Amino acid sequence: MIELTEDDYQNREFRSIAFSSTDFSCKEFYNCRFIDCSFDDASLSGGSFESCTFTGCNLSNIPVDDTKFIDTEFVECKLLGIRFYKCNPMAFSLTFSRCLIHSCNFSDLSMKGAGFAGCEIAGCAFQNNYLVEADFTGAKFSDTLFDSSNLSKASFYQAEGYAIDPYSNKLKQAVFSVPDVLSLLSGFGIKIKD
């Protein structure tokens, strides 16, 4: 277990550190970089991360109750079982790139312009989300729910495996590509032949 002795961290780099069982509550990080770090059994609840980058990190099953993520980026990270809907909704702006995002819940969050490019997204929930202009370019989906969400102007270009009901989600000016765009017709009970 790493003991964080300060309350505020600015412009710091944390490389290859096992933050096992570390408590990040009341800790504020600004413009920090976490590279190849593990957060097993750590609690990010009550912490604040602004303009931070996580690269190649393992953030599995971590509590994030009332956590602030402001302009924070995750690159090639493993994120499993995270209940993002418990984060502070007034301080929540994230971008993901080429991450494994499994069994995470993003419901009820405003995520305008959020990036998920090149991510593998499995078993996740996006219910009642504001995802206008979100970028899912090249993402690979499986068993992921989109329900009652605003996906206007979102990009699903070259994304695969998504299942989106056009009746229960707003899709105005969203971008899709062939052949996966045909999955939008699945709710109509029609057959498509070549």
Side-chain angles (χ1 to χ4, degrees):
M1 177 173 141
I2 300 292
E3 186 69 34
L4 296 172
T5 56
E6 301 173 37
D7 288 333
D8 300 317
Y9 295 86
Q10 296 184 19
N11 306 309
R12 297 271 304 270
E13 180 176 295
F14 302 90
R15 184 180 291 271
S16 302
I17 297 175
F19 287 108
S20 299
S21 302
T22 301
D23 183 4
F24 285 84
S25 62
C26 302
K27 305 295 184 198
E28 295 184 10
F29 296 86
Y30 177 78
N31 198 36
C32 291
R33 293 168 308 286
F34 298 87
I35 302 167
D36 297 325
C37 294
S38 175
F39 292 84
D40 293 334
D41 297 318
S43 175
L44 273 59
S45 291
S48 177
F49 300 86
E50 184 174 354
S51 300
C52 292
T53 304
F54 294 80
T55 304
C57 294
N58 180 358
L59 298 107
S60 297
N61 301 308
I62 55 170
V64 290
D65 299 47
D66 203 36
T67 303
K68 294 177 183 174
F69 286 115
I70 304 164
D71 298 325
T72 296
E73 182 178 11
F74 295 90
V75 180
E76 297 177 351
C77 290
K78 180 179 178 181
L79 302 109
L80 303 178
I82 302 174
R83 297 174 181 166
F84 285 104
Y85 68 89
K86 291 192 171 190
C87 288
N88 184 324
M90 303 307 292
F92 189 83
S93 58
L94 298 176
T95 299
F96 304 90
S97 179
R98 300 178 312 278
C99 291
L100 296 172
I101 306 172
H102 291 218
S103 303
C104 293
N105 192 330
F106 294 92
S107 296
D108 300 314
L109 291 169
S110 179
M111 301 175 69
K112 181 178 181 178
F116 292 87
C119 292
E120 181 181 310
I121 304 170
C124 293
F126 293 91
Q127 292 182 282
N128 196 35
N129 286 97
Y130 188 77
L131 286 158
V132 172
E133 298 175 354
D135 184 8
F136 294 99
T137 301
K140 292 185 167 110
F141 292 91
S142 63
D143 300 319
T144 293
L145 173 69
F146 286 95
D147 183 52
S148 302
S149 292
N150 188 341
L151 295 160
S152 299
K153 298 183 181 179
S155 176
F156 287 86
Y157 181 71
Q158 295 185 336
E160 302 173 3
Y162 51 82
I164 302 171
D165 183 347
Y167 283 121
S168 68
N169 296 281
K170 293 180 183 176
L171 298 173
K172 188 174 183 177
Q173 296 183 354
V175 177
F176 298 92
S177 54
V178 175
D180 288 276
V181 69
L182 298 176
S183 71
L184 297 179
L185 300 175
S186 64
F188 294 104
I190 61 176
K191 294 181 181 179
I192 301 169
K193 293 185 176 184
D194 289 336

